[in-house]
Amino acid sequence: QTQSAGLPGEVSVKVGAVDPRISLPACPAPQAFQQPGAKPWGKTTVGVRCTAPSSWTIFVQAQVSVMADYVVAAVPLAQGQPLDGSQLVLVKADIAAMPNGIITDMAQAIGRTPTISLPAGTALRTDTLRAQQVIKQGQAVRLVSRGSNFSVTSEAKAINNASDGQVVQVRTQSGTVVSGLARNGGMVEIVL
């Protein structure tokens, strides 16, 4: 339950039974743990250990379900076409059984473009969508350097493509290459 506290939706945990043939000494303070790399949801194994008065460890099967809304294509989606809310629908199901990267908030999908064409009913994942580029390689951009109580603006040329919030490199008119954050409207922001 502690591991799944930050997950979206309603979490339920079903712990498998301990084999009744196992005879363990009583433990006043058992400690639950997960193996490194174990998933905190879906079908998983939880370790339980006792350190005093006797030392023992057992492993118990558990099923962690997360009933939550996730985003699905309401209509067929074309590769490279920006998404809007009318093309998407929320569906509620156990997202623990879904692949990693499932999108649970419409805002994470709107404005992005599918990297491949997707049929209606497809659950959207972060790895199947790409943010739209707000800066294109070779584009003239407005470079804004901000510090406490000042702001300096100059012109520059983008060296690479970038989506909003991504790091982009630009070449200033003097030839210096600097990095900043791409912003909508052809702006690159440098916070000093």
Side-chain angles (χ1 to χ4, degrees):
Q1 288 175 327
T2 301
Q3 292 281 334
S4 61
L7 299 175
E10 190 177 308
V11 177
S12 66
V13 180
K14 290 182 185 167
V15 180
V18 176
D19 188 337
R21 297 172 293 183
I22 297 176
S23 177
L24 298 170
C27 184
Q31 301 168 343
F33 65 94
Q34 279 195 295
Q35 297 284 9
K39 294 189 320 180
W41 59 2
K43 188 173 182 178
T44 189
T45 301
V46 177
V48 179
R49 73 173 137 238
C50 185
T51 54
S54 301
S55 180
W56 52 261
T57 301
I58 61 169
F59 293 92
V60 181
Q61 295 295 312
Q63 178 69 41
V64 180
S65 299
V66 184
M67 293 302 290
D69 290 333
Y70 64 97
V71 181
V72 173
V75 297
L77 303 176
Q79 177 181 359
Q81 294 299 311
L83 300 178
D84 65 54
S86 69
Q87 299 169 300
L88 308 172
V89 66
L90 287 174
V91 174
K92 190 176 201 102
D94 181 5
I95 63 170
M98 309 286 290
N100 286 338
I102 201 81
I103 295 177
T104 57
D105 181 2
M106 286 249 200
Q108 294 174 309
I110 293 174
R112 294 181 176 259
T113 58
T115 56
I116 57 172
S117 293
L118 300 169
T122 303
L124 300 185
R125 299 188 329 255
T126 53
D127 63 347
T128 61
L129 300 179
R130 168 177 49 238
Q132 281 193 291
Q133 295 176 346
V134 295
I135 303 287
K136 297 201 184 311
Q137 181 178 0
Q139 175 183 348
V141 296
R142 192 175 73 216
L143 184 61
V144 179
S145 301
R146 298 179 203 265
S148 58
N149 301 323
F150 78 91
S151 175
V152 178
T153 303
S154 63
E155 297 296 317
K157 191 167 286 240
I159 295 175
N160 60 295
N161 299 325
S163 301
D164 188 38
Q166 284 187 319
V167 174
V168 61
Q169 289 190 319
V170 297
R171 187 176 312 279
T172 64
Q173 291 174 338
S174 67
T176 305
V177 174
V178 296
S179 296
L181 296 179
R183 298 293 181 212
N184 283 320
M187 185 175 84
V188 175
E189 184 179 43
I190 299 174
V191 180
L192 304 172

